[in-house]
Amino acid sequence: MAASAKPEIAFIGLGAMGFGMATHLVKQGYAVTGFDVWPPTLERFRAAGGNTAATPAEAVRGCDYIVCMVATAAQAQSVLLEGENPALGEISTSASLLLCSTVPCAYVQDLEAQLAQKGRGDVLLVDCPVSGGAARAADGTLSIMAGGSNKALDKARFLLQELSDTSKLYVVEGGIGAGSNMKMVHQVLAAVKILATAEGLGFAQHLGLDLGYTYESIQNSDASAWMFGHRGPRVLSEFKPIASAITIILKDAGIITSEALRVGFSTPMTGTAEQVYLSSIGRGYGADDDSSLIRLYTEGLKDTASSLSEDNRAKKLALVQGLLKGIYLCGTAESLAFAKRCHLDLDQVYDLCVNAAGGSKMLETAGPEIINLFRGKQTAAEAESESLQDVARQLQEAVSEAQRLKMPLYLGTEASNLIRLALQHVPDQAQPLSRATIAKVWAA
Amino acid sequence: MAASAKPEIAFIGLGAMGFGMATHLVKQGYAVTGFDVWPPTLERFRAAGGNTAATPAEAVRGCDYIVCMVATAAQAQSVLLEGENPALGEISTSASLLLCSTVPCAYVQDLEAQLAQKGRGDVLLVDCPVSGGAARAADGTLSIMAGGSNKALDKARFLLQELSDTSKLYVVEGGIGAGSNMKMVHQVLAAVKILATAEGLGFAQHLGLDLGYTYESIQNSDASAWMFGHRGPRVLSEFKPIASAITIILKDAGIITSEALRVGFSTPMTGTAEQVYLSSIGRGYGADDDSSLIRLYTEGLKDTASSLSEDNRAKKLALVQGLLKGIYLCGTAESLAFAKRCHLDLDQVYDLCVNAAGGSKMLETAGPEIINLFRGKQTAAEAESESLQDVARQLQEAVSEAQRLKMPLYLGTEASNLIRLALQHVPDQAQPLSRATIAKVWAA
């Protein structure tokens, strides 16, 4: 497309993600008109070559493409429909409206209904939350999960492609809401793994392990995870830089648990993580980087720096590994079972998650076993992978040790109890069981 | 029995409970020789008419009856077998040894094995933990759960009767370990309800309800419970007096969860409570009264005293009720399912618990439904009792409101997820289900 042929784009919400996405579009030669409630951001956007508008209505006037990247459903409702000078009155006929915010499936479906009700069924809404962080937003290499009508997807495809990595634009079957559901089941993994990083490193600290050594060793083991790799270094640098506030993952956890409630699905792992996030809010930690959640595990702990023998160190490291693997297995099962409940394509969910922030060695290896179980395929423990009993035993050793050390392991305890719930329903526990058996807790 | 015919009794462990029990025996005319590691207690015991000894060995010398009421299994092991001058060397042939401490079933069974191994299989061990608090200990009206051989029980019966209320001496079938198991399943209810009191009143405070009003209203409703009645007033009087430290219920929760781990039983409700207890230890609250756990729910809360309309007040109170009922239902199911797993007589468990500190309106009404379910009897929701869906709906309203208020509800969230796990496995959720259906999570 020649630069002159590129359509004008209205961009609402220039936060950490939105600013990067909008300026990337400017660099690609689009005329972009931005709106944000925070004036200094507008100034920065003009300096970056963008145009700015004083209201959402002004921003969208005459534009055939609108991207909305505000933080919450309430903000989207305000800028699009209900606030001062909302976009609604000025949206062009049959314009594309890309809602990139992470919102509940229920909200984006409701937005579609509201547009129809207001006589604007012509607006080509796309439900397309993103993932990947501010750096990838600015590079135009985000992961995007897009749902909507074929017509809406066709019209918006070039724009979605501009914003995403070629291999990371996922068109999700199921219409409006499907993209949000895809993001949601990915966030189950994220919400569990962000807290698991704090829990694992907090446990390591109680055990007297050096955190740098623990970090390196875990990431080179079968307990590795993208989140651990991402948050671990920030634990080591005193929770700096503040890359992702606790309130952000709390918001996403709230979307998961409220949607789960709405559809009658159980999310014990995410629910447990959410309670710990909430308790950190009461402590006044909300705006801090989420790597700082380790503080909820190390309160009252005296200096534990100890010189351990190599053998002893290896044993303690194995406890941390066992803890993380048990948590990741249960998180994987909760995420995939929820995806099944939302009628998502499980192969697509797996492909997306394993290559994104929710990824881990456990997801990579146990994920396919769980998907096979859901499809009624072979689920006997394979010779080359651990059995559920193996995972349980390693996890339970960690839980018992934490009990002895008098420290909480919120997720580890939850995972240990979930695995036992699964095992209680198996008539013959003497035979090694596939790790996938854990998923029977959610879906018989 | 004439006073002169009453046997001498050795009493090891004169803490809050033991002191009351031992002095009660003195008042009943027994010659009691006490031992404790804390000298001022020995002085008080002499002032109360008891004899004292300098070592466990000296205390038990020549006595045909020995009561051990120390705080933990480790202490019992020390005073009986392994510490300085332990009782072992001086225990009379075929003496009665009543272990009244709350210990894991595994420990008291191991104690029996150790005695046999040391050639003291003649000792008539009784596994008889107690319940009821210091006041009832001093009155000789405790609840006692006693297991052991018939011979041991026959010999010890009069002494157990001296210490217990006539209607509250429970002889538990199953030999050594059965008494401890009975106490353990009772403590599932206690551990869950102590935290539930804090969670319910903390929630009320966030809702802007007056705590005195909340306390009275809850205790006059179907959400009433013995623990709530007991701890509630101490919440209102700034956690005074210190009647039961957090470390005590933490110890009992640890017995439950470690025994559960050992036998492969899942205790998600107790496990959740235990993690919160553990987090309070890190905060330095361990020695405080357990009513002070409310602090973990009200951190960062500004003064919420608000004048609510009567209608609004009733709605908020209903949320607290719904929360507590949901928690109590899941606690009841976890306790009874664990009792079943331990092969206890469920009618006896019910009778004991409903009349003790674990009691609640929910246990009273849903307990029999759950026991019937385990026996394969009618479990359709009866017209006069709520359905599982009713309980779930009320609980989930509370959980959603807490999410909005940004406060944690550890137990409420756990219970809500457990109920949804149960419902996910029911093919037809449109029909009202018996509340007992929740127990299927533990035992199919």
Side-chain angles (χ1 to χ4, degrees):
Chain A
M1 217 181 272
S4 62
K6 289 191 176 179
E8 270 186 55
I9 293 165
F11 206 108
I12 300 176
L14 300 169
M17 295 292 290
F19 191 88
M21 292 161 74
T23 49
H24 170 73
L25 292 174
V26 169
K27 284 182 202 150
Q28 297 309 107
Y30 291 89
V32 183
T33 303
F35 170 77
D36 198 276
V37 291
W38 180 238
T41 298
L42 294 176
E43 204 166 307
R44 268 182 69 216
F45 189 57
R46 281 193 295 271
N51 308 312
T52 58
T55 67
E58 185 189 326
V60 305
R61 192 175 300 145
C63 283
D64 207 19
Y65 291 89
I66 304 163
V67 181
C68 181
M69 186 67 228
V70 294
T72 64
Q75 289 177 12
Q77 181 70 7
S78 173
V79 296
L80 297 175
L81 300 177
E82 287 184 347
E84 271 184 74
N85 302 302
L88 183 67
E90 298 285 350
I91 297 179
S92 305
T93 305
S94 300
S96 266
L97 172 57
L98 282 64
L99 182 59
C100 293
S101 311
T102 297
V103 298
C105 161
Y107 174 71
V108 64
Q109 290 179 341
D110 186 48
L111 175 62
E112 183 180 40
Q114 288 182 81
L115 287 168
Q117 200 181 6
K118 291 173 193 298
R120 294 308 308 269
D122 61 291
V123 174
L124 293 167
L125 181 63
V126 183
D127 165 32
C128 51
V130 307
S131 177
R136 281 174 54 195
D139 286 348
T141 58
L142 288 167
S143 297
I144 302 190
M145 298 133 257
S149 68
N150 287 339
K151 194 173 166 194
L153 287 167
D154 285 345
K155 179 165 180 178
R157 195 174 307 264
F158 78 95
L159 189 51
L160 294 166
Q161 278 167 346
E162 288 286 11
L163 297 167
S164 63
D165 186 278
T166 17
S167 67
K168 292 184 176 171
L169 172 57
Y170 294 88
V171 172
V172 187
E173 294 295 317
I176 291 295
S180 289
N181 275 339
M182 183 65 99
K183 173 86 197 248
M184 178 177 71
V185 302
H186 175 271
Q187 291 309 90
V188 168
L189 297 168
V192 167
K193 280 169 173 158
I194 285 172
L195 188 62
T197 301
E199 187 159 314
L201 290 174
F203 184 40
Q205 204 160 334
H206 277 268
L207 290 168
L209 286 167
D210 175 76
L211 292 194
Y213 163 80
T214 305
Y215 172 73
E216 290 296 335
S217 310
I218 291 290
Q219 282 304 80
N220 286 309
S221 79
D222 58 353
S224 68
W226 189 97
M227 277 295 178
F228 192 89
H230 220 248
R231 267 56 178 182
R234 298 215 291 271
V235 171
L236 297 169
S237 60
E238 294 181 342
F239 324 135
K240 300 278 176 355
I242 300 181
S244 192
I246 296 172
T247 46
I248 294 179
I249 191 62
L250 172 62
K251 188 203 74 154
D252 288 4
I255 289 174
I256 296 161
T257 57
S258 59
E259 278 290 298
L261 204 58
R262 195 174 68 90
V263 302
F265 184 81
S266 182
T267 51
M269 294 297 293
T270 311
T272 297
E274 187 188 20
Q275 302 318 298
V276 182
Y277 295 148
L278 286 167
S279 78
S280 82
I281 301 296
R283 310 289 299 280
Y285 297 163
D288 297 347
D289 189 72
D290 60 33
S291 59
S292 74
L293 287 159
I294 190 175
R295 289 176 289 181
L296 296 177
Y297 293 92
T298 55
E299 288 173 320
L301 182 63
K302 304 286 179 295
D303 187 17
T304 56
S306 60
S307 61
L308 301 168
S309 69
E310 201 166 319
D311 184 46
N312 208 355
R313 202 169 64 161
K315 275 184 193 153
K316 285 169 185 249
L317 186 70
L319 290 172
V320 180
Q321 259 177 282
L323 170 67
L324 291 173
K325 283 163 55 185
I327 294 170
Y328 294 163
L329 176 62
C330 291
T332 296
E334 182 164 302
S335 169
L336 292 173
F338 202 4
K340 175 171 185 277
R341 174 68 183 75
C342 294
H343 310 293
L344 294 170
D345 173 346
L346 296 179
D347 293 322
Q348 190 182 38
V349 171
Y350 176 77
D351 186 52
L352 185 155
C353 293
V354 88
N355 294 304
S360 64
K361 197 79 188 170
M362 180 58 80
L363 172 65
E364 191 185 321
T365 61
E369 296 176 12
I370 291 171
I371 293 172
N372 278 339
L373 175 121
F374 289 154
R375 291 177 178 157
K377 291 192 193 157
Q378 169 73 326
T379 62
E382 291 167 52
E384 65 267 34
S385 76
E386 294 175 305
S387 67
L388 182 59
Q389 292 96 331
D390 286 337
V391 175
R393 186 184 41 71
Q394 294 169 56
L395 171 60
Q396 289 167 0
E397 279 173 17
V399 169
S400 294
E401 179 63 11
Q403 204 170 30
R404 208 184 61 74
L405 294 168
K406 298 213 183 302
M407 73 165 293
L409 291 183
Y410 302 98
L411 289 171
T413 301
E414 190 69 26
S416 172
N417 278 309
L418 284 169
I419 295 177
R420 271 176 281 152
L421 274 188
L423 290 172
Q424 274 173 233
H425 291 270
V426 172
D428 181 10
Q429 294 180 26
Q431 289 299 315
L433 293 161
S434 160
R435 291 176 298 185
T437 313
I438 181 62
K440 290 188 181 174
V441 166
W442 283 272
Chain B
M1 219 182 272
S4 62
K6 290 190 174 178
E8 271 186 55
I9 293 164
F11 206 108
I12 300 176
L14 300 168
M17 295 293 288
F19 191 89
M21 293 161 74
T23 49
H24 170 72
L25 292 174
V26 169
K27 284 182 202 151
Q28 298 308 108
Y30 292 89
V32 182
T33 303
F35 169 77
D36 198 276
V37 292
W38 180 237
T41 298
L42 295 176
E43 206 168 304
R44 269 182 68 215
F45 189 56
R46 281 192 296 271
N51 308 311
T52 58
T55 67
E58 185 188 325
V60 306
R61 192 175 299 144
C63 282
D64 207 20
Y65 292 88
I66 304 162
V67 182
C68 180
M69 186 67 229
V70 294
T72 65
Q75 289 177 12
Q77 181 69 6
S78 172
V79 295
L80 296 175
L81 301 177
E82 287 184 346
E84 272 183 73
N85 302 302
L88 183 68
E90 299 284 351
I91 298 178
S92 306
T93 305
S94 300
S96 267
L97 171 58
L98 282 64
L99 181 60
C100 294
S101 310
T102 297
V103 297
C105 162
Y107 174 71
V108 64
Q109 290 178 340
D110 186 48
L111 175 61
E112 184 179 40
Q114 289 183 80
L115 286 169
Q117 200 181 4
K118 291 174 193 295
R120 295 307 310 268
D122 61 291
V123 174
L124 292 166
L125 181 64
V126 182
D127 165 32
C128 51
V130 308
S131 177
R136 282 173 55 194
D139 286 347
T141 58
L142 289 166
S143 298
I144 303 191
M145 298 132 255
S149 68
N150 287 340
K151 195 175 165 192
L153 288 167
D154 285 346
K155 181 168 178 176
R157 194 173 308 263
F158 79 94
L159 188 50
L160 294 166
Q161 277 167 347
E162 289 285 13
L163 296 167
S164 63
D165 187 276
T166 16
S167 68
K168 291 183 176 170
L169 172 58
Y170 295 88
V171 173
V172 188
E173 295 295 318
I176 291 296
S180 288
N181 276 338
M182 182 64 97
K183 172 86 195 247
M184 177 177 72
V185 301
H186 175 271
Q187 291 309 90
V188 168
L189 298 167
V192 168
K193 281 169 174 157
I194 284 172
L195 188 61
T197 302
E199 187 158 314
L201 289 174
F203 184 40
Q205 204 161 332
H206 277 268
L207 290 167
L209 286 167
D210 175 76
L211 293 194
Y213 162 80
T214 305
Y215 171 74
E216 291 296 333
S217 310
I218 291 291
Q219 283 304 80
N220 287 310
S221 79
D222 57 353
S224 68
W226 190 97
M227 276 297 178
F228 192 90
H230 220 249
R231 266 55 179 184
R234 297 215 291 273
V235 172
L236 296 169
S237 61
E238 294 181 342
F239 324 135
K240 299 279 175 2
I242 300 180
S244 193
I246 295 173
T247 47
I248 294 178
I249 192 62
L250 172 61
K251 188 202 74 154
D252 287 5
I255 289 174
I256 295 161
T257 57
S258 58
E259 278 289 299
L261 203 57
R262 194 173 68 91
V263 303
F265 184 80
S266 182
T267 52
M269 294 297 292
T270 311
T272 297
E274 187 187 21
Q275 302 319 298
V276 182
Y277 295 148
L278 286 168
S279 78
S280 82
I281 301 296
R283 312 289 298 280
Y285 297 163
D288 296 347
D289 189 72
D290 61 34
S291 59
S292 73
L293 287 159
I294 190 174
R295 287 177 290 180
L296 296 177
Y297 294 91
T298 55
E299 286 172 322
L301 182 64
K302 305 287 180 294
D303 187 15
T304 55
S306 60
S307 60
L308 302 167
S309 69
E310 202 166 318
D311 184 45
N312 209 355
R313 203 168 64 161
K315 275 185 194 150
K316 286 171 184 245
L317 186 70
L319 291 172
V320 180
Q321 260 177 282
L323 170 67
L324 291 173
K325 282 164 55 186
I327 293 171
Y328 294 162
L329 177 61
C330 291
T332 295
E334 181 163 301
S335 169
L336 291 173
F338 202 4
K340 176 173 183 275
R341 174 70 183 71
C342 295
H343 310 292
L344 293 171
D345 172 346
L346 296 178
D347 292 322
Q348 189 182 39
V349 171
Y350 176 76
D351 186 51
L352 185 154
C353 293
V354 88
N355 294 305
S360 63
K361 198 78 188 172
M362 181 58 82
L363 172 65
E364 191 185 319
T365 62
E369 296 176 11
I370 292 172
I371 293 172
N372 278 339
L373 175 122
F374 289 156
R375 292 176 178 155
K377 291 192 191 157
Q378 169 71 327
T379 60
E382 292 166 50
E384 64 269 34
S385 76
E386 295 175 305
S387 67
L388 182 59
Q389 292 95 330
D390 287 336
V391 176
R393 186 183 42 71
Q394 294 169 55
L395 171 61
Q396 290 168 359
E397 280 172 16
V399 168
S400 294
E401 179 62 12
Q403 204 171 29
R404 207 184 61 74
L405 294 168
K406 299 212 184 301
M407 72 166 293
L409 290 182
Y410 302 97
L411 289 172
T413 300
E414 189 70 25
S416 173
N417 278 309
L418 284 169
I419 295 177
R420 271 177 280 152
L421 273 188
L423 290 173
Q424 274 173 235
H425 291 269
V426 172
D428 180 9
Q429 294 180 26
Q431 289 299 313
L433 294 160
S434 160
R435 291 175 298 184
T437 314
I438 181 61
K440 290 189 181 173
V441 167
W442 284 272

